Amino acid sequence: MSVALAVALLALLVALFTLVALVAVYARVRALEAAGPAELSGYVALVGRRAPAAVRPGPGQRAAVVAVLDAHCALCHAVWDALCAVQEDPHVRVVALVDRPEDFAVRAGGRAELLADPDARADLFEGYSPTLLAVDAGGVVTHRSFVYSDTDLGALVQDLTQRPDPMPGAERHSEGREVTRA
């Protein structure tokens, strides 16, 4: 085998590898396009989608506030406490979707529901908890807010329970997503 033949075979191998990589990238891009819009997290956007039936507002209710919580998260327990402290409003349903309900203390007189529904939680989980969602009377998610340690929980929960529409200060994008500056 001559040196020229070896170089030609090596160039052919590199070209074949490049072609396979290009086809794989093209297939992945097409699959992502077919899957629908996704947020930066890689999860499909929640705002504008229907919420699972387990967390939608009941008959006569105009909205629901849904918290996606994790038992191992200290901040999630603070969100649960804030939800339990919400003033009574029969027109707004307040639900906490949790992975393990036995790790959350039930508050006497609290009006928030503690719900352990793995399918509903998986449908609403975006890779981060705690997350607060507003759901309108039709069962559509109208707002999503990630909760951080410096978030004013009382004000955020009060804002979400007082109106089913998106919060002021939120920018609505053409795809139906919202970005809040909380």
Side-chain angles (χ1 to χ4, degrees), residues 48-170:
R49 281 194 326 165
R50 288 191 50 84
V55 298
R56 292 182 194 148
Q61 293 178 322
R62 63 177 168 80
V65 174
V66 181
V68 181
L69 306 177
D70 184 346
H72 293 295
C73 162
L75 187 55
C76 292
H77 290 275
V79 170
W80 170 241
D81 292 339
L83 290 176
C84 289
V86 170
Q87 290 189 341
E88 185 68 31
D89 182 355
H91 301 291
V92 178
R93 181 179 182 199
V94 181
V95 182
L97 272 174
V98 298
D99 52 348
R100 291 194 326 268
E102 62 273 1
D103 290 342
F104 289 87
V106 178
R107 306 285 189 255
R111 61 181 274 315
E113 302 172 43
L114 196 58
L115 181 63
D117 185 335
D119 293 332
R121 187 174 184 280
D123 192 37
L124 296 176
F125 184 71
E126 287 189 293
Y128 177 83
S129 60
T131 304
L132 284 175
L133 307 168
V135 180
D136 67 10
V140 176
V141 177
T142 59
H143 174 81
R144 182 255 294 127
S145 184
F146 295 126
V147 178
Y148 303 102
S149 59
D150 62 344
T151 301
D152 184 355
L153 281 174
L156 178 60
V157 171
Q158 181 181 7
D159 231 13
L160 293 177
T161 56
Q162 289 184 350
R163 75 177 76 86
D165 55 344
M167 293 175 34

